[in-house]
């Protein structure tokens, strides 16, 4: 792995930026309702991030135009906030990354708008529990495959599928770095989990096929993705610190 373990001072900075990102994630909860536009949510996130003294890390990141990602229904990830009005029955992932004092904190959650279908409730619940199953598999000197294995096992046992091409990532002074954290894999395989490194766990879980379709984001080198069968997709994300005894979830308010 290219990056070194974090010093105590660096761990302190990661704890703070992650806590603040989680605070913004909680702050928007009452506003993510029927009738609000994705751009209005983006503006609230921009303002709250600044109020906390942080920078919205996605804004201008390789040309990405907004302060968050808003991925509605069959959008798998990196949905760009636009004038879409959230409507009763939608599910939306809101993904927030703060930067403070040279460090990044990355977290996302699902929001259910009004009365949602049983399928929508199911995919949101499975995605959240799949992320937790992955996190609980983290051990010092374990592997990325241990995490992916548990995520995939949980999702597939529930009749859902996991996205293979995109996943979690090392994070710290760099927004996206190694290791790649897959949502599938074999126990004991992949990269080693080194104490006092940080990475995200952010499985994308689909109701139907695991196949996804890629779309360009104009002016950006990023893409957004939809499920190929247009069925629902859901995702949650935490930033994690591996410790010498286990792990800490950093993106808690
Ligand atoms: N926060 C996203 C992640 O979890 C990254 C978004 S990059 C963007 O890794 F440019 F698409 F916003
Ligand atoms: Co991430
Ligand atoms: Co994110």
């Amino acid at each position: 792995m290219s990056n070194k373990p974090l010093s105590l001072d660096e761990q302190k900075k990661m704890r703070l930026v992650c806590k603040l990102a989680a605070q913004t994630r909680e702050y928007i909860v009452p506003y993510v309702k029927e009738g609000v536009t994705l751009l209005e949510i983006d503006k609230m996130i921009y303002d709250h991030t600044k109020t906390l003294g942080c920078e919205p890390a996605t804004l201008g990141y390789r040309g990405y135009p907004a302060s968050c990602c808003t991925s509605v229904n069959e959008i798998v990830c990196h949905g760009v906030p636009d004038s879409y009005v959230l409507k009763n029955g939608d599910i939306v992932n809101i993904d927030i990354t703060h930067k403070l004092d040279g460090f990044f904190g990355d977290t996302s959650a699902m929001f259910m708008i009004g009365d949602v279908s049983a399928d929508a409730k199911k995919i949101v619940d499975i995605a959240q529990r799949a992320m937790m199953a992955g996190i609980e598999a983290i051990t010092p000197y374990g592997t990325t495959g241990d995490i992916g294995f548990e995520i995939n096992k949980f999702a597939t046992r529930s009749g859902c599928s996991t996205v293979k091409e995109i996943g979690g990532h090392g994070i710290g002074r760099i927004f996206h770095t190694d290791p790649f954290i897959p949502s599938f894999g074999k126990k004991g395989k992949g990269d080693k989990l080194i104490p006092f490194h940080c990475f995200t766990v952010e499985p994308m879980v689909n109701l139907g096929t695991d196949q996804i379709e890629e779309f360009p984001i104009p002016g950006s080198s990023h893409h957004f993705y939809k499920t190929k069968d247009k069925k629902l997709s859901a995702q949650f994300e935490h930033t994690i610190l591996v410790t010498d005894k286990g792990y800490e979830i950093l993106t808690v308010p």
Side-chain angles (χ1 to χ4, degrees):
M1 222 169 312
S2 56
N3 49 345
K4 289 209 284 285
L6 298 182
S7 68
L8 283 173
D9 183 56
E10 291 170 325
Q11 289 171 42
K12 213 167 124 188
K13 290 177 176 171
M14 270 307 277
R15 277 198 192 89
L16 179 59
V17 68
C18 287
K19 178 191 167 88
L20 296 175
Q23 284 178 7
T24 300
R25 188 192 68 220
E26 300 294 307
Y27 164 77
I28 59 169
V29 170
Y31 304 107
V32 184
K33 291 277 143 52
E34 184 176 1
V36 74
T37 70
L38 300 177
L39 275 169
E40 286 164 347
I41 293 170
D42 185 61
K43 170 87 168 89
M44 287 184 249
I45 289 172
Y46 176 86
D47 289 342
H48 193 256
T49 304
K50 289 293 221 179
T51 298
L52 295 176
C54 300
E55 292 301 320
T58 57
L59 188 59
Y61 176 55
R62 297 195 206 122
Y64 186 83
S67 301
C68 62
C69 300
T70 49
S71 303
V72 179
N73 296 333
E74 73 276 11
I75 303 196
V76 171
C77 68
H78 301 172
V80 179
D82 61 11
S83 57
Y84 179 82
V85 181
L86 286 173
K87 63 177 196 303
N88 189 57
D90 284 342
I91 59 171
V92 56
N93 172 277
I94 302 184
D95 192 334
I96 298 167
T97 312
H98 286 5
K99 186 177 187 189
L100 181 66
D101 216 356
F103 287 85
F104 292 87
D106 190 3
T107 184
S108 82
M110 296 300 298
F111 297 80
M112 297 190 273
I113 310 303
D115 305 310
V116 303
S117 67
D119 271 354
K121 280 185 195 146
K122 173 181 165 176
I123 196 67
V124 169
D125 179 54
I126 300 304
Q128 207 266 335
R129 290 160 67 191
M131 174 190 67
M132 288 314 301
I135 291 172
E136 285 162 11
I138 296 168
T139 56
Y141 304 108
T143 69
T144 56
D146 300 347
I147 302 171
F149 175 81
E150 294 301 335
I151 291 171
N152 196 242
K153 185 174 82 180
F154 187 83
T156 53
R157 278 188 182 177
S158 315
C160 301
S161 68
T162 57
V163 171
K164 311 297 186 295
E165 296 87 339
I166 323 165
H169 48 91
I171 186 168
R173 285 189 192 274
I174 303 175
F175 189 170
H176 293 103
T177 184
D178 57 303
F180 175 67
I181 309 294
S183 301
F184 67 103
K186 288 198 170 77
K187 282 191 198 181
K189 301 283 182 193
D191 293 335
K192 263 205 162 32
L193 309 178
I194 313 287
F196 309 110
H197 283 210
C198 287
F199 54 78
T200 71
V201 178
E202 50 175 310
M204 292 149 221
V205 182
N206 297 349
L207 202 54
T209 181
D210 65 351
Q211 296 301 297
I212 58 174
E213 226 179 310
E214 185 178 270
F215 298 86
I217 297 173
S220 161
S221 60
H222 291 282
H223 296 84
F224 75 94
Y225 301 85
K226 289 184 183 182
T227 55
K228 209 153 218 169
D229 58 10
K230 303 292 184 322
K231 291 189 181 169
L232 296 174
S233 184
Q235 180 186 25
F236 286 82
E237 175 177 25
H238 275 309
T239 297
I240 308 292
L241 172 72
V242 184
T243 68
D244 51 354
K245 297 189 180 63
Y247 62 85
E248 262 178 60
I249 300 178
L250 300 186
T251 35
V252 290

